[in-house]
Amino acid sequence: MIKSFLPLFQNVPIIAKVIIFIQTCLFLLSFIINDTIHHYFSLIPQNTLTKFFLHNLITSSLLETEPFSFIFTILSVIITSKWIINKNILLSQQPQTNVWNTNMYLWFLFVVTLSCGILTLIFAILSFFILSNILSISVYDELVKVLLYSRFHGFHGCIIGFTLIMKQQVPEEFPLQFLQIRGRDVPFVALVISIVLSIITLQFTDLPFIIFGFLVSYIYLRFYQTRDDGLKGDHSDSFAFHTLFPELIQTPIRIISSLIYSICKRFKIVGELRRISSNDNNNDKDGLVIDIISSSPISESTTTTSSSNSTTSTMVTNKRRELAIQELDKRLSQHQQQQEEQINTNNNNI
């Protein structure tokens, strides 16, 4: 029985071992000096504001004090780090569309943990000021206790983020062999289960990290992550925000998310989404641009799969089209660079 679990702990990336070591130390110390650990490592808004414990914005995500949460976090770190960094066959045997490395993995964790800490702090402060002006003075002390002295901590935001990477990389596979759930459905299932468990167990301080982790991870992967081909973000239709949810509620979510995207784009918070079109680059004078989408085997597979009334084939097609347009952009960039070098060479000769 024990031997069957031994492969799980083999070939674990170094960065994952460091994270596990820190979390284990904090978990064990929480049984000895619980209040001290929370004082210095949990995100307590009052401490962060008055004592400038800014390090809590990051350390709070590394602290787990509940045995079940701790074990679940450790297993999540081991499995996801091996899959993301080592492309381990425990989860997927298919090549990934975007290869991750240790630096990308570490940067993702940093962005998610810091963002969750900042957003949770802002949420607690704004909630306090709004509710203190609305509710009666008799509940003021209770508001201070609940919002300003609550202990926010946990790795929930990063774990939710890992599920979004599964959707991005292997949307049509079953990344978790012990669960018959496709990669595209894992984020929503994990989000619902996490929220429900937090409510049932009365761990309401977990909710900000869960929700903000879900949103921040998606925004980062969608718009800001630097991919191995030099482009930023995953702009494929199969990774649109509404696809994270069941089809029944995708239409209203698509409308709301499109409105929010338009507002963010107007204020230059996010960039323009790359659209796949055969006429996107008609201004190329040398005729280098070939319509990859319409003339490549990818298009033939698109025609074949579109005849089947299947959401799965549509998502695969969109992903392939996105890869095609990325390859097209890469070729254009290389060609433009060669032209500039040729012009510089001619000028030097003159």
Side-chain angles (χ1 to χ4, degrees):
M1 182 66 178
I2 298 178
K3 291 183 178 180
S4 61
F5 289 96
L6 289 180
L8 183 65
F9 299 94
Q10 298 175 353
N11 301 321
V12 178
I14 295 178
I15 182 61
K17 293 179 180 178
V18 173
I19 294 173
I20 292 171
F21 176 76
I22 296 174
Q23 290 180 327
T24 302
C25 290
L26 293 176
F27 174 73
L28 296 177
L29 287 174
S30 66
F31 287 95
I32 304 173
I33 46 175
N34 183 61
D35 291 337
T36 303
I37 289 295
H38 278 293
H39 180 76
Y40 287 104
F41 290 93
S42 289
L43 175 59
I44 303 175
Q46 183 69 16
N47 289 349
T48 305
L49 293 174
T50 60
K51 299 181 181 180
F52 298 101
F53 283 2
L54 299 181
H55 62 279
N56 291 345
L57 298 175
I58 295 179
T59 59
S60 55
S61 292
L62 297 173
L63 178 61
E64 291 286 359
T65 58
E66 298 295 331
F68 175 78
S69 297
F70 170 74
I71 295 174
F72 181 77
T73 297
I74 296 301
L75 292 176
S76 299
V77 172
I78 292 174
I79 295 175
T80 55
S81 64
K82 291 174 67 175
W83 176 64
I84 294 173
I85 299 177
N86 297 343
K87 273 70 68 177
N88 194 280
I89 60 173
L90 275 174
L91 293 180
S92 174
Q93 297 180 358
Q94 300 298 323
Q96 310 304 305
T97 58
N98 184 33
V99 179
W100 286 64
N101 54 40
T102 302
N103 291 336
M104 294 173 64
Y105 180 80
L106 183 60
W107 182 249
F108 175 78
L109 292 179
F110 175 77
V111 170
V112 175
T113 54
L114 181 60
S115 299
C116 284
I118 293 175
L119 292 174
T120 300
L121 178 64
I122 294 174
F123 167 77
I125 295 172
L126 289 179
S127 299
F128 170 75
F129 281 109
I130 293 173
L131 294 177
S132 62
N133 291 323
I134 296 176
L135 302 178
S136 61
I137 194 65
S138 59
V139 297
Y140 181 84
D141 292 339
E142 190 65 24
L143 280 177
V144 172
K145 180 180 178 181
V146 171
L147 294 175
L148 298 186
Y149 284 96
S150 289
R151 300 169 172 179
F152 298 96
H153 62 88
F155 207 65
H156 324 291
C158 292
I159 294 176
I160 290 291
F162 296 150
T163 65
L164 287 166
I165 297 176
M166 290 181 185
K167 172 178 170 57
Q168 180 194 50
Q169 299 294 306
V170 286
E172 303 309 322
E173 296 181 34
F174 298 92
L176 302 174
Q177 293 183 350
F178 49 88
L179 288 176
Q180 289 300 306
I181 302 177
R182 294 189 183 275
R184 66 169 185 260
D185 301 321
V186 172
F188 179 75
V189 173
L191 179 66
V192 172
I193 292 177
S194 299
I195 292 176
V196 171
L197 288 177
S198 298
I199 295 175
I200 292 176
T201 58
L202 303 180
Q203 298 293 327
F204 298 109
T205 54
D206 294 346
L207 293 176
F209 278 16
I210 294 172
I211 296 173
F212 291 138
F214 180 81
L215 296 175
V216 169
S217 298
Y218 174 79
I219 293 172
Y220 173 75
L221 295 173
R222 180 69 164 170
F223 296 103
Y224 297 107
Q225 180 195 25
T226 301
R227 301 167 63 87
D228 54 345
D229 53 12
L231 299 176
K232 283 189 176 295
D234 185 347
H235 294 182
S236 59
D237 292 338
S238 60
F239 199 58
F241 186 72
H242 65 272
T243 63
L244 302 176
F245 301 88
E247 293 185 8
L248 185 63
I249 58 175
Q250 284 187 6
T251 300
I253 291 178
R254 182 191 296 114
I255 296 173
I256 297 173
S257 61
S258 298
L259 177 61
I260 295 175
Y261 167 72
S262 299
I263 295 173
C264 293
K265 185 176 67 173
R266 179 174 299 180
F267 288 96
K268 298 182 179 180
I269 299 175
V270 297
E272 184 76 29
L273 288 174
R274 295 186 300 275
R275 295 300 181 186
I276 302 172
S277 173
S278 59
N279 298 320
D280 282 346
N281 299 283
N282 285 339
N283 58 346
D284 188 270
K285 296 181 180 179
D286 296 325
L288 172 69
V289 179
I290 299 174
D291 189 359
I292 293 179
I293 300 173
S294 61
S295 62
S296 67
I298 294 175
S299 175
E300 297 175 6
S301 65
T302 301
T303 304
T304 303
T305 54
S306 61
S307 61
S308 62
N309 187 15
S310 171
T311 305
T312 299
S313 61
T314 302
M315 295 181 68
V316 171
T317 299
N318 290 335
K319 178 65 72 174
R320 288 174 175 172
R321 285 181 174 177
E322 175 67 13
L323 295 176
I325 200 64
Q326 288 173 5
E327 180 64 23
L328 178 61
D329 290 340
K330 188 176 181 180
R331 292 184 186 180
L332 283 173
S333 178
Q334 292 174 349
H335 179 66
Q336 185 177 3
Q337 185 177 1
Q338 291 174 357
Q339 284 184 325
E340 292 176 354
E341 292 176 354
Q342 184 65 33
I343 293 174
N344 292 334
T345 302
N346 294 336
N347 291 337
N348 293 333
N349 292 334
I350 294 174

